[in-house]
């Protein structure tokens, strides 16, 4: 057998070599998922599903890892991690890469194996989804839980319809019939209805089985052609229904070893035309047997008591069987290898003709017994003989056997025999055995209604009295105690209830419903008559125990009486804590294996046995504190001896003092709703409840007043802070106002300084203008003097030259001859021309100079006018700044003076030009005269 450990790998091969038909015991590969680390462990697989082709397998484990196994390609791939345990899988959708997975949070998700992404998230269930049925087209799906079934459209992932049932009638399974549009719904009251898919109208109902063969259906299977329905339950009978005739056609009786059927699955065959003949039956012994429903022959089986099967599915092509084993691994079987033994020629058979009974009932006529037609394989048992067992229907089962039958296919007598042989139940199956012994009803709706009421006021502050380190345990303890208090008011007033419930809370912390029902069952059966003397200890029960102790060990009782140690000291601490204070975990589990397997009086006997087995140290105690310490702490007492002594007390105690005569037999909790628990003095509990309620109301009022006082104080502090803040703001505003006043004063001073500065500037400007005027006048006077001097010089030069010319002329006329006279004249003419030219140049230069001075004077006038405009603007500005300043008359006077100066300068220039013109005229006349000469 090949083995594949997935480990931490996300993908890889499934097997190293394909076994095929040569697979030992038919197992092609065993797949496990182990995690290595500080605490190595194996993660259990929970559910498997094949796709529509049968060549791919989908598997989900307890941690929410979803794997796809490609059986043709020999590859596995981790396609999703949901982080939650899956409760159901479906891999036969219309889109081949999509699959549905139901999770522990009651939701259903659709994922894609190719993209590994979430496609849709469907919610609506209030309990875990147990099965998913997909329509043959792959477009619709039905999800089923115990309280509802919902129809989904897988194209839009919208809910189409929802089937609700009464609280007393649960749903077993709702699924599509193959090759039809019919929905089959099976309920816990054994009713089966067929519905039209399109209209959801009821087509028919299967009538209950005939008398004498009634069994409560738990599991169902339908052939591929949708014509035959097989149903099974807590019996070794299988009912075959013909859906076309709507009637029961056959009852198949399985071998004696089969006491309950857990799963049914048809094995497809390519040659049977979809009218499957081979049926796989998984029974309570974890073995899956494959029988022919026509011949009722046992063909082969898989699994064994050592390697049991938890659940199994068969591929649509009929080639593979995938089974989840009890140890959490996944086995893949080859159908070809399993059936090769059946293909051999059968051995010879000897048939015996027997006389049949003269009268057979209708039920007996339908019963067909399963027989074996092959030799047992080496993997099933050590026997090699050919077995041909006829398992007769035991119609008249004895009353004792019926009373010993427990849920889950267990038998109380056999469990007691196992317990006496080994002293305790296997740790792996202990919780399952306890649930069967206590016959827990698992009332989900009733428990949910209790939980929905919230935390009871009596246990709101339980953490103060019981400071548990684990927050999870504290919350579960709080919820469990609150549910008990909501169930019956006495439990809210019982001070020892947390001590009584805590061991079970710690043991069943992952399933609060089971925890509550175990505690409730213990209170109802093993705590009988405890609350009749409430709030005092159960004096009647303690009296019974003291009578038993007096009968079996008078010396010890006399010693206890001598030191005033009553049953409230040596028995009541053990009872109210359920021995959890004086025993270790393993010892406590072993003790309660025996307590749950016997009459409720055994619990009292085991407490008395503990006291008797501790007689040696108790006889040495002589202080009351020592006795109290002894019964509140662990001691060196062998629990096996205590259990054996308790059985001895049960057998040897006289009936007149035996607690069994005074205590009722074990009574499980009722299904649907929990029983009414009122075995306590109502008036005392009501009085105490009223008293506690008044105290709580007073405390609430006190807390409310204290809250109001705190709020008032907080408001006062807040008001004080606001006042201080307001005063601080006012102080800051006052300081800011003072600062602003200072700034305003400084600004006024600056404004006055600016005004004074403006006045000074204006005076300086006026002085500057006066100085400029004076300088201009001096310059004009100086320029005028220069012009007059130049004109005088020119006049003198002209006069000198004229006199010199006359002298020269006279001299020439007197001394030189005519030639010299002519030469002289020539020279004179040249000199005259040169002088004339020079004079012209000087006159022209003087004229240009005068023009330039005229232009300069014009510029000065323009500048003066601009400055005058600026002065006017400044004066206007000064008048705007200083409203009371009068207009000064001196600038006007300065303007008149300047105008007069300008007029004088213009007059002088005009006189200069007139003189120049006269000078030019005189020069021309002189030239003309020379020309005449």
């Amino acid at each position: 057998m090949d083995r594949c450990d997935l480990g931490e790998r996300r993908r890889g091969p499934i097997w190293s070599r394909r076994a095929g038909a040569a697979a030992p015991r038919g197992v092609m590969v065993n797949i496990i998922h182990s995690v290595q680390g500080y605490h190595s462990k194996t993660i259990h697989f929970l559910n498997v599903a094949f796709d529509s082709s049968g060549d791919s397998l989908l598997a989900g484990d307890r941690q929410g890892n979803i794997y796809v196994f490609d059986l043709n390609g020999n590859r596995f791939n981790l396609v999703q991690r949901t982080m939650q345990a899956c409760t159901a899988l479906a891999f036969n959708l219309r889109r081949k890469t999509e699959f549905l997975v139901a999770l522990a949070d009651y939701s259903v998700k659709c994922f894609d194996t190719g993209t590994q992404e979430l496609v849709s998230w469907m919610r609506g269930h209030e309990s875990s989804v147990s099965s998913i049925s997909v329509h043959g087209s792959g477009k619709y799906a039905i999800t089923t839980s115990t309280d509802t079934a919902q129809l989904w459209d897988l194209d839009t992932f919208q809910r189409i319809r929802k089937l609700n049932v009464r609280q007393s009638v649960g749903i077993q399974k709702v699924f599509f019939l193959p090759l039809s549009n019919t929905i089959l719904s099976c309920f816990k009251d054994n009713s089966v209805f067929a519905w039209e898919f399109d209209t959801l109208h009821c087509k028919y109902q299967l009538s209950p089985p005939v008398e004498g063969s009634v069994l409560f259906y738990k599991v169902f299977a339908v052939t591929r052609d949708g014509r035959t329905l097989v149903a099974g339950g807590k019996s070794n009978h299988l009912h075959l229904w013909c859906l076309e005739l709507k009637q029961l056609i056959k009852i198949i009786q399985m071998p004696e070893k089969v006491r309950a059927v857990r799963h049914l699955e048809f094995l497809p065959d390519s040659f049977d035309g979809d009218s499957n003949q081979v049926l796989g039956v998984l029974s309570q012994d974890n073995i899956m047997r494959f029988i022919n429903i026509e011949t009722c022959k046992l063909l082969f089986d898989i699994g064994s008591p050592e390697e049991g099967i938890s659940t199994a599915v068969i591929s649509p092509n009929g080639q593979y069987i995938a089974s989840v084993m009890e140890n959490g691994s996944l086995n893949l079987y080859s159908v070809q290898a399993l059936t090769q033994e059946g293909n051999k020629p059968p051995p010879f058979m000897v048939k015996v003709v027997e006389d049949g009974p003269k009268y057979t009932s209708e039920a007996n006529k339908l019963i067909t017994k399963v027989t074996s037609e092959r030799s047992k394989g080496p993997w099933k048992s050590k026997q090699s003989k050919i077995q041909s067992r006829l398992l007769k229907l035991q119609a008249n089962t004895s009353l004792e056997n019926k009373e010993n039958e427990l849920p889950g296919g267990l038998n109380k007598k056999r469990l007691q025999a196992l317990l006496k042989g080994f002293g305790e139940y296997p740790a792996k199956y202990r919780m399952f055995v306890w649930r069967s012994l206590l016959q827990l009803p698992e009332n989900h709706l009733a428990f949910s209604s209790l939980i929905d009421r919230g935390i009871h006021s009596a246990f709101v502050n339980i953490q103060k009295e019981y400071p548990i380190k684990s927050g999870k345990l504290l919350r579960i303890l709080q919820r469990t105690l609150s549910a008990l208090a909501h169930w019956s008011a006495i439990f809210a007033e019982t001070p020892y209830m947390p001590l009584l419930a805590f061991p079970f809370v710690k043991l069943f912390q992952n399933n609060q419903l089971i925890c509550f029902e175990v505690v409730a069952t213990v209170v109802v059966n093993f705590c009988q008559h405890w609350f009749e003397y409430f709030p005092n200890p159960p004096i009647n029960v303690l009296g019974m125990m003291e009578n038993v102790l007096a009968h079996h060990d008078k010396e010890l009782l006399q010693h206890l009486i001598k030191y005033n140690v009553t049953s409230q000291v040596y028995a009541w601490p053990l009872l109210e804590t359920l021995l959890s204070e004086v025993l270790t975990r393993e010892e406590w589990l072993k003790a309660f294996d025996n307590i749950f397997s016997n009459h409720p009086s055994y619990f009292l006997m085991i407490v008395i046995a503990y006291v008797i087995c501790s007689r040696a140290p108790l006889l040495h105690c002589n202080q009351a504190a020592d006795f109290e310490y002894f019964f509140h702490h662990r001691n060196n007492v062998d629990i096996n001896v205590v259990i054996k002594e308790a059985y001895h007390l049960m057998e040897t105690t006289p009936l007149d003092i035996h607690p069994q005569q005074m205590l009722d037999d074990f009574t499980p909790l009722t299904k649907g709703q929990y029983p009414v628990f009122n075995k306590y003095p109502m008036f005392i509990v009501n009085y105490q409840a009223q008293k506690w309620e008044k105290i709580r109301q007073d405390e609430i009022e006190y807390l409310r007043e204290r809250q109001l006082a705190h709020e008032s104080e907080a408001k006062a502090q807040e008001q004080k802070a606001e006042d201080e803040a307001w005063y601080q703001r006012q102080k800051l505003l006052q300081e800011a106002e003072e600062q602003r006043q200072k700034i305003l004063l400084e600004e006024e001073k600056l404004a006055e300084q600016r005004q004074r500065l403006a006045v000074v500037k204006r005076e300086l400007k006026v002085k500057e203008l006066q100085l400029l005027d004076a300088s201009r006048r001096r310059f004009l006077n100086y320029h005028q003097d220069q012009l007059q001097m130049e004109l005088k010089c020119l006049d003198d030069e002209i006069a000198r030259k004229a006199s010199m010319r006359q002298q020269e002329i006279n001299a020439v006329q007197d001394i030189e001859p005519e030639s010299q006279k002519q030469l002289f004249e020539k020279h004179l003419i040249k000199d005259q021309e040169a002088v004339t030219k020079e004079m012209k140049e000087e006159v022209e230069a003087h004229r240009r100079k005068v023009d330039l001075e005229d232009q300069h004077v014009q510029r000065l006038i323009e500048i003066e006018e601009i400055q005058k405009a600026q002065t006017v603007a400044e004066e206007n500005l000064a008048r705007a700044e200083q409203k009371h300043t009068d207009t000064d008359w001196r600038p006007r006077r300065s303007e008149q003076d300047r105008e007069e100066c300008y007029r004088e300068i213009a007059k002088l220039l005009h006189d200069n030009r007139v003189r120049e013109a006269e000078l030019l005229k005189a020069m021309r006349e002189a030239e003309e005269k020379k020309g005449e000469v």
Side-chain angles (χ1 to χ4, degrees), residues 565-580:
V565 178
T566 63
S567 57
Q568 297 185 20
V569 176
Y570 64 81
W572 180 237
L574 303 180
L575 290 175
E576 66 180 356
T577 60
L578 300 182
L579 301 170
S580 60

Side-chain angles (χ1 to χ4, degrees), residues 804-844:
M804 287 178 65
R805 189 183 303 115
Q806 188 65 34
Q807 289 175 6
E808 287 176 357
I809 291 171
N810 293 333
V812 169
Q813 290 178 357
D814 293 338
I815 302 172
E816 291 181 356
E818 186 68 24
S819 59
Q820 289 180 350
K821 183 179 179 179
Q822 293 178 354
L823 181 62
F824 180 75
E825 288 178 355
K826 290 179 181 179
H827 286 291
L828 185 61
I829 292 168
K830 290 180 179 181
D831 292 337
Q832 189 176 1
E833 290 177 357
V835 171
T836 303
K837 185 177 181 182
E838 184 179 354
M839 289 296 292
K840 288 182 179 180
E841 291 176 356
E842 289 179 359
V843 170
E844 186 69 25

Side-chain angles (χ1 to χ4, degrees), residues 153-202:
D153 186 345
L154 297 184
D155 288 334
T156 62
F157 294 100
Q158 298 294 323
R159 185 172 62 193
I160 302 175
R161 290 294 181 91
K162 180 178 181 181
L163 173 64
N164 291 319
V165 295
R166 295 193 306 271
Q167 185 176 0
S168 59
V169 181
I171 300 176
Q172 288 289 4
K173 191 175 183 181
V174 180
F175 54 94
F176 288 104
L177 287 182
L179 304 179
S180 68
N181 282 334
T182 304
I183 300 175
L184 213 61
S185 60
C186 310
F187 301 95
K188 291 185 178 180
D189 61 354
N190 243 28
S191 59
V192 179
F193 292 88
W195 310 84
E196 186 66 35
F197 170 66
D198 298 329
T199 61
L200 292 180
H201 291 160
C202 183

Side-chain angles (χ1 to χ4, degrees), residues 80 93 210 251 410 730 756 811 864 871 874 893 920:
Q80 195 57 237
L93 278 62
V210 295
I251 298 177
L410 301 181
Q730 293 299 321
R756 290 196 296 269
E864 185 67 24
T871 304
E874 291 176 357
R893 186 65 182 174
L920 288 174

Side-chain angles (χ1 to χ4, degrees), residues 668-838:
L669 299 178
T670 57
K671 291 187 177 181
Q673 292 291 338
Y674 296 116
V676 177
F677 187 85
N678 55 1
K679 298 178 181 179
Y680 56 88
M682 300 289 292
F683 66 96
I684 295 178
V685 174
N686 293 337
Y687 173 75
Q688 285 202 348
Q690 293 174 2
K691 185 177 178 180
W692 282 111
E693 184 64 24
K694 184 179 179 182
I695 293 173
R696 279 193 287 269
Q697 292 297 333
D698 294 341
E699 185 179 2
I700 292 172
E701 183 65 21
Y702 167 73
L703 292 176
R704 188 180 65 81
E705 292 179 356
R706 188 175 68 176
Q707 182 67 22
L708 291 175
H710 286 330
E711 291 178 357
S712 300
E713 184 178 359
K715 288 182 179 178
Q717 294 293 336
E718 185 179 356
Q719 186 65 33
K720 183 179 179 181
E722 290 180 356
D723 293 342
E724 291 180 355
W726 184 82
Y727 285 121
Q728 189 68 19
R729 287 196 300 270
Q730 293 299 321
K731 185 177 180 181
L732 292 175
L733 289 174
Q734 186 176 359
E735 292 178 356
E737 182 64 22
E738 293 176 357
Q739 188 70 18
R740 191 178 70 83
Q741 293 295 334
K742 291 181 181 179
I743 293 172
L744 289 176
L745 290 175
E746 291 179 358
E747 287 181 353
E748 289 178 358
K749 292 179 181 180
L750 290 175
E752 291 177 358
Q753 290 178 2
R754 281 197 296 271
Q755 290 178 0
R756 290 196 296 269
L757 182 61
V759 171
V760 172
K761 282 183 178 181
R762 188 165 59 253
E763 292 176 353
L764 291 175
K765 196 71 174 175
V766 171
K767 289 180 181 180
E768 183 179 359
L769 291 174
Q770 290 176 356
L771 292 173
L772 286 174
D773 290 340
S775 63
R776 288 191 190 96
R777 284 194 296 273
R778 286 196 301 273
F779 176 74
L780 290 174
N781 293 331
Y782 174 76
H783 186 64
Q784 187 175 4
D785 293 341
Q786 287 292 330
L787 289 175
Q788 290 177 359
M789 289 176 65
E790 287 179 359
L791 288 174
K792 187 177 180 181
C793 289
L794 286 174
D795 291 342
D796 292 343
E797 186 67 25
I798 290 170
R800 188 181 62 79
K801 286 184 178 181
S803 63
M804 287 178 65
R805 189 183 303 115
Q806 188 65 34
Q807 289 175 6
E808 287 176 357
I809 291 171
N810 293 333
V812 169
Q813 290 178 357
D814 293 338
I815 302 172
E816 291 181 356
E818 186 68 24
S819 59
Q820 289 180 350
K821 183 179 179 179
Q822 293 178 354
L823 181 62
F824 180 75
E825 288 178 355
K826 290 179 181 179
H827 286 291
L828 185 61
I829 292 168
K830 290 180 179 181
D831 292 337
Q832 189 176 1
E833 290 177 357
V835 171
T836 303
K837 185 177 181 182
E838 184 179 354

